[in-house]
């Protein structure tokens, strides 16, 4: 019997102990819900839900061969594999992975707990797909034993793209684009208004707000609002600008084709 | 606003020409007021391309004026607070027949004789400048000095800088009458009040004929509509200005370069393409005399698109997101009308720039400023006098 099981105490004692000989499932299924794919997935009968489909699954580590089918097929992602045969203070954890970015063996990733909080970094040892049309990949990462039972997933894209950057300050309102099509920030519109332009079409010409793809469908009212505030006039007095043909984008090839 | 205003110089019109005149006058320390019926860049200057094209100018005074003007742009780009998106990108004129090639060759020779750098290119030479051209294209001429600018930014930038140097800009102010006594301009009557001034510059674009009538002078400027298609924004795909030989034909009334197609000739269709700094392609354009109508028409939009596909087939899959039309202040010979009026002192014309107002704005501003303040100009502008038409 292993003296200290990090984290969940006795809950997964049998899995924890069996894992010294190789991969074994850890079933973290707590809700009593009508669900039993794990039972159907398991070729050895190691996981049993039984006739009451709402019962929590019962697990027998001695029968488990570590194939990982349950990991891939559990819709709640409630099963992972634990493998402690290295006995060096590190364990191998296999979690399901269904994000768009395909991870790469050998890369460092962030491992996260059930709430998505980062636990530590870990190296991807192996990636496999069980096939059968299921998109789920099984990703095996090497992590310190101390966190092994907490690992529920890997965060690949953030590592890859953004590193561990934290958002500490939101951009100011003035930097937000008033017009997304032409990417014109609110502050630019206000700068232009300070030069004294008076009409909505002039403001459009000078700022380019309303001259992009949407032709002002999204931004005209915001622009009118800004002009109204700057000039102390009412929206109705300001009026609106004319959408210029074509009202919707049209391919040049079509416009220049025989549709005259 | 005071009941009666006054200014040393009143500039009528807040287009690129009025703004340039006000800029150069303010730089010399003159007291300037721009009066604009609508808003800055509301006329042709806000509805055009940004070609600073030299090889499309007529050899002689026209070309010399344009070359002088082109030289002023880099300093302007430095001096103005607004980014005018000036780029010396070079320009191409494409021929779609051997006859057009012959004409372009002859023109290139004439332009070179006046000191402009122009190269005649074969189709295979074109490959280095353009990703792909239509099968009909037989070659072209290339001018490395041709450049590009954002005409709206240029107009607003000139006006803003003039304002910083002390000029007053009055928008929503229409000139209704000009009072002349003892053969001298005295007062400008506007919808927002009267302005005492002994010097008035008419830079009213297509409104110039109306302004001329106020002092009983016929200023022969007619509105000529030009329509443009705007595509979605893309990564840089067109690094230079491109025009078709027919564009030059309809622009400069060169018979040998006119469109062969009857419908195209009626629309005054001529191919132009440029990519703006924002990434949109501007595809042009037409030349139509339809009065003051500045709407776009489905026929012209179709014709411009068809023509564009002829020259640059790869634009086929781009989305057209917009169209617009502008009214060129067109003079009988397409050249600007600059200078004074006989019998009315203090009245100056800076109008009729037709399809070249953006290109010629800096030199026009400079020359008119010299004329207003010193009574003479450093370049000979007599070829552009109103009296050449008589
Ligand atoms: C489709 C198209 C493409 C073009 N492409 C190019 C190009 O690539 N390169 C180039 O160099 N040129 C080009 N041009 C030509 C260029 O746009 C014009 O020559 C230039 O804008 C003329 O400037 P402007 O200041 O004289 O006139 P405008 O910009 O029209 O300004 C005149 C101003 O005077 C005001 N006004 C008129 N009457 C009165 C009054 N009574 N009281 C007060 N204000 C008044 C008007 O409201 C207007 O704002 C193009 C033109 C068009 C239409
Ligand atoms: S790992 Fe394989 S053998 Fe073990 S419980 Fe899951 S499905 Fe059954
Ligand atoms: S498939 Fe997953 S969620 Fe469903 S009972 Fe089995 S372990 Fe629980």
């Amino acid at each position: 019997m292993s003296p200290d099981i990090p984290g969940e105490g006795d809950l997964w004692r049998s899995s924890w102990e069996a894992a010294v000989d190789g991969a074994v499932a850890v079933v973290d299924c707590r809700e009593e819900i009508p669900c039993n794919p794990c039972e159907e997935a398991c070729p050895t009968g190691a996981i049993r839900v039984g006739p009451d489909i709402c019962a929590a699954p019962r697990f027998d580590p001695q029968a488990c061969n570590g194939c990982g089918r349950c990991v891939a097929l559990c819709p709640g992602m409630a099963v992972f594999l634990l493998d402690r045969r290295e006995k060096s203070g590190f364990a191998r954890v296999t979690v399901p992975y269904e994000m768009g970015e395909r991870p790469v063996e050998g890369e460092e990733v962030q491992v996260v707990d059930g709430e998505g909080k980062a636990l530590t970094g870990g190296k991807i040892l192996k990636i496999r797909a069980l096939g059968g049309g299921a998109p789920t990949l099984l990703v095996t990462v090497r992590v310190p034993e101390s966190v092994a039972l907490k690992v529920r997933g890997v965060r690949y894209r953030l590592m890859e793209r953004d590193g561990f950057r934290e958002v500490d300050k939101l951009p100011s309102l003035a930097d937000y684009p008033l017009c997304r099509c032409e990417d014109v920030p609110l502050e630019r519109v206000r700068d232009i208004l300070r030069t004294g332009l008076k009409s909505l079409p002039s403001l459009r010409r000078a700022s380019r707000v309303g001259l992009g793809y949407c032709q002002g469908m999204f931004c005209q009212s915001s622009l009118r609002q800004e002009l109204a505030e700057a000039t102390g006039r009412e929206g109705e007095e300001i009026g609106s600008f004319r959408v210029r043909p074509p009202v919707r984008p049209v391919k040049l090839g079509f416009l220049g084709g025989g549709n005259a | 606003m005071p009941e009666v205003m006054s200014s040393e110089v009143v500039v009528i019109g807040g287009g690129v020409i009025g703004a340039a005149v006000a800029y150069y006058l303010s730089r010399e320390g003159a007291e300037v007021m721009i009066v604009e019926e609508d808003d800055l860049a509301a006329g042709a200057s806000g509805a055009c391309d940004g070609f600073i094209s030299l090889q499309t100018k007529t050899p002689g005074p026209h070309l010399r004026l344009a070359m002088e003007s082109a030289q002023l742009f880099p300093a302007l780009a430095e001096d103005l607070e607004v980014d005018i998106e000036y780029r010396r990108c070079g320009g191409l004129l494409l021929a779609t027949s051997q006859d057009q090639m012959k004409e372009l060759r002859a023109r290139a020779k004439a332009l070179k004789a006046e000191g402009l750098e122009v190269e005649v290119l074969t189709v295979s030479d074109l490959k280095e400048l353009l990703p792909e051209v239509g099968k009909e294209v037989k070659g072209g001429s290339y001018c490395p000095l041709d450049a590009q600018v954002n005409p709206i930014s240029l107009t607003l930038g000139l006006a803003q800088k003039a304002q910083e140097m002390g000029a007053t800009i009055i928008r929503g102010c229409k000139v209704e009458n000009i009072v002349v006594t003892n053969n001298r301009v005295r007062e400008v009557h506007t919808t927002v009040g009267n302005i005492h001034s002994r010097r008035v510059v008419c830079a009213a674009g297509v409104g110039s004929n109306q302004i001329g009538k106020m002092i009983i002078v016929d200023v022969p400027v007619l509105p000529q509509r030009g329509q443009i298609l705007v595509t979605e924004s893309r990564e840089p795909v067109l690094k230079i200005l491109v025009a078709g030989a027919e564009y030059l034909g309809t622009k400069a009334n060169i018979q040998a370069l006119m469109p062969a197609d009857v419908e195209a000739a009626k629309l005054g269709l001529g191919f132009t393409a440029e990519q703006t700094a924002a990434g949109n392609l501007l595809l042009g354009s037409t030349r139509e005399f339809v009065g003051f109508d500045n709407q776009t028409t489905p026929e012209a939009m179709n014709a411009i698109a068809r023509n564009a596909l002829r020259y640059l087939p790869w634009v086929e899959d781009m989305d057209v997101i917009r169209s617009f039309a502008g009214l060129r202040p067109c003079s009988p010979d397409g050249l600007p009308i600059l200078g004074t009026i006989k019998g009315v002192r203090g009245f100056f014309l800076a109008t009729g720039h037709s399809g070249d107002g953006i290109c010629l704005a800096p030199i026009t501003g400079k020359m008119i400023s010299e004329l207003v303040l010193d009574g003479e100009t450093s370049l000979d502008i007599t070829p552009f006098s109103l009296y050449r038409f008589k």
Side-chain angles (χ1 to χ4, degrees):
Chain A
M1 204 182 260
S2 170
D4 55 332
I5 302 173
E8 296 292 336
D10 279 349
L11 198 55
W12 298 314
R13 180 174 295 278
S14 57
S15 291
W16 178 261
E17 283 163 4
V20 293
D21 297 323
V24 67
V26 179
V27 183
D28 183 19
C29 179
R30 303 170 191 216
E31 308 300 328
E32 300 195 350
I33 48 171
C35 179
N36 69 353
C38 54
E39 180 173 35
E40 283 175 23
C42 182
T44 66
I47 304 188
R48 288 250 163 83
V49 175
D52 175 8
I53 197 176
C54 284
R58 279 164 290 123
F59 174 60
D60 174 7
Q62 301 312 316
C64 174
N65 65 12
C67 70
R69 299 172 72 92
C70 56
V71 179
L73 284 165
C74 165
M77 295 189 155
V79 192
F80 60 95
L81 297 184
L82 178 69
D83 180 343
R84 301 202 296 134
R85 85 186 91 171
E86 244 188 67
K87 296 189 186 76
S88 58
F90 283 89
R92 299 170 184 201
V93 176
T94 302
V95 290
Y97 184 90
E98 293 181 339
M99 306 303 275
E101 207 96 347
R102 202 188 152 98
V104 178
E105 284 178 6
E107 279 193 344
E108 285 285 332
V109 285
Q110 212 177 354
V111 294
V112 297
D113 68 9
E115 261 108 52
K117 280 207 292 281
L119 291 169
T120 174
K123 187 176 180 178
I124 298 182
L125 298 179
K126 195 167 168 188
I127 292 163
R128 58 196 164 117
L130 290 185
T136 310
L137 297 176
L138 297 186
V139 174
T140 305
V141 279
R142 183 170 182 268
V143 295
E145 273 197 346
S146 55
V147 300
L149 285 175
K150 293 190 185 131
V151 175
R152 292 296 177 281
V154 300
R155 189 142 65 199
Y156 184 73
R157 291 171 56 196
L158 244 138
M159 248 325 245
E160 173 79 348
R161 296 228 171 119
D162 305 324
F164 296 96
R165 200 178 56 206
E166 276 192 28
V167 178
D168 51 2
K169 194 166 145 263
L170 285 171
S172 81
L173 182 67
D175 293 333
Y176 275 104
L178 189 144
C179 163
R180 284 166 193 276
C181 304
E182 294 284 320
D183 195 18
V184 185
L186 181 59
E187 196 48 41
R188 169 99 187 102
V189 171
R190 294 190 173 162
D191 275 347
I192 291 168
L193 279 168
R194 280 181 212 117
T195 70
L197 291 190
K198 293 272 186 290
S199 77
L200 198 60
S202 303
L203 188 55
R204 167 172 70 167
R205 226 175 350 255
S207 68
R208 305 187 53 79
V209 173
L211 287 179
Y213 245 96
C214 85
Q215 286 246 19
M217 273 191 282
F218 294 114
C219 50
Q220 177 164 187
S221 53
S222 314
L223 198 64
R224 185 182 305 116
Q225 176 72 25
E226 285 297 316
L227 185 60
E229 266 168 38
T231 57
R233 281 181 291 164
E234 297 289 328
E236 311 86 79
E237 278 176 70
I238 288 170
S240 54
F241 53 65
R242 182 162 53 94
V243 169
R244 291 167 168 155
V247 178
R248 297 241 183 278
V250 48
K251 290 270 175 262
L252 221 137
F254 179 74
L255 193 61
N259 70 327
Chain B
M1 216 164 284
E3 284 287 280
V4 180
M5 299 169 278
S6 81
S7 180
E8 200 180 330
V9 189
V10 169
V11 176
I12 307 173
V16 73
I17 300 298
V21 170
Y23 167 82
Y24 283 97
L25 278 168
S26 306
R27 246 179 42 159
E28 295 304 316
E31 185 196 13
V32 187
M33 189 179 275
I34 297 181
V35 289
E36 164 57 54
E37 143 183 29
D38 188 331
D39 215 329
L40 295 172
S45 308
C48 58
D49 297 299
F51 280 50
I52 302 171
S53 163
L54 297 176
Q55 63 171 327
T56 57
K57 304 296 178 269
T58 313
H62 189 206
L63 176 64
R64 279 199 294 281
L65 200 64
M67 285 168 75
E68 292 284 342
S69 202
Q71 280 181 9
L72 295 173
F73 273 97
L76 273 186
E78 280 283 303
D79 192 38
L80 301 186
E81 241 88 317
V82 172
D83 176 11
I84 61 170
E85 294 162 20
Y86 170 76
R87 212 160 57 85
R88 191 172 283 174
C89 52
L92 260 179
L93 252 180
L94 298 176
T96 49
S97 73
Q98 290 307 340
D99 285 347
Q100 287 183 354
M101 260 328 266
K102 206 172 122 200
E103 188 66 28
L104 290 189
R105 249 183 238 113
R107 274 184 58 86
K109 209 170 142 196
L111 292 166
K112 271 197 252 184
E114 300 224 12
L116 183 69
E117 223 180 300
V118 189
E119 250 180 282
V120 177
L121 303 180
T122 64
V123 183
S124 59
D125 299 333
L126 290 178
K127 291 224 165 61
E128 283 175 28
L129 296 168
L130 271 180
E132 193 195 332
V133 292
K135 284 196 217 52
E136 284 175 63
V137 175
K138 298 286 181 285
S141 62
Y142 174 68
C143 175
L145 288 182
D146 282 354
Q148 184 184 31
V149 72
N150 178 330
I152 297 170
S153 304
L154 176 64
T155 306
L156 298 179
L158 285 165
Q160 187 185 324
K161 190 76 192 193
Q163 196 175 25
E164 258 170 49
M165 294 185 290
T168 308
I169 300 174
I170 308 181
R171 304 156 214 256
C173 168
K174 182 177 168 122
V175 172
E176 294 187 313
N177 200 13
I178 297 167
V179 179
V180 178
T181 53
N182 287 339
N183 299 333
R184 161 136 228 144
V185 167
R186 305 284 168 178
E187 212 169 73
V188 180
H189 289 180
T190 79
T191 47
V192 303
N194 299 343
I195 310 164
H196 285 308
S197 181
R198 290 158 71 82
R199 295 185 176 89
V200 171
V201 177
C202 170
V206 293
S208 300
N209 188 258
Q210 198 58 37
I211 299 292
K213 286 195 177 121
M214 296 171 193
I215 55 162
I216 321 179
V217 169
D218 179 34
V219 181
V221 171
L222 281 178
Q224 184 193 54
R225 180 169 71 183
Q227 303 192 39
I228 304 272
L229 298 182
V230 186
T231 74
E232 64 184 304
S233 162
R234 283 276 179 96
E235 73 284 3
V237 286
L238 190 65
K239 297 197 179 68
I240 51 178
L241 304 177
V242 185
E246 287 138 16
Y247 159 79
L248 183 58
T250 58
K251 176 178 190 296
N253 242 322
I254 301 172
Q255 216 44 50
L257 298 179
M258 284 292 177
D261 179 82
V262 186
E263 285 305 306
K266 225 169 76 192
L267 281 170
L269 187 67
F271 173 64
T272 58
E274 73 175 305
Q275 187 167 21
T276 65
N280 311 80
L281 291 198
L282 298 186
L283 300 170
S285 60
T286 62
R287 286 170 194 274
E288 309 151 83
F289 290 100
V290 288
F292 285 85
D293 177 0
N294 69 349
Q295 305 277 330
T296 55
T297 62
E299 300 75 47
M301 289 174 67
N302 284 133
I304 293 169
R306 246 191 325 268
N307 204 30
L309 292 166
R310 255 177 87 205
Y311 287 92
L312 305 178
W314 50 267
V315 297
E316 184 179 358
D317 75 328
M318 295 184 78
D319 275 335
V320 174
I321 61 170
R322 209 154 24 94
S323 61
F324 64 80
L327 300 176
R328 300 180 185 91
C330 198
S331 74
D333 58 6
L335 307 185
I337 306 174
L338 311 175
T340 50
I341 297 289
K342 287 181 191 158
V344 183
R345 280 185 296 150
F347 189 87
F348 306 87
L349 285 169
T351 185
H353 288 76
S354 308
D356 298 324
I358 303 305
C359 171
L360 298 178
I363 195 68
T364 302
K366 192 157 180 263
M367 290 304 108
I368 297 299
S369 153
E370 289 175 4
L371 190 64
V372 169
L373 299 178
D374 313 331
E376 54 184 24
T377 54
S378 49
L379 272 178
D380 178 19
I381 59 165
T382 50
F384 305 104
S385 133
L386 171 70
Y387 301 100
R388 70 182 185 271
F389 301 117
K390 300 283 148 77

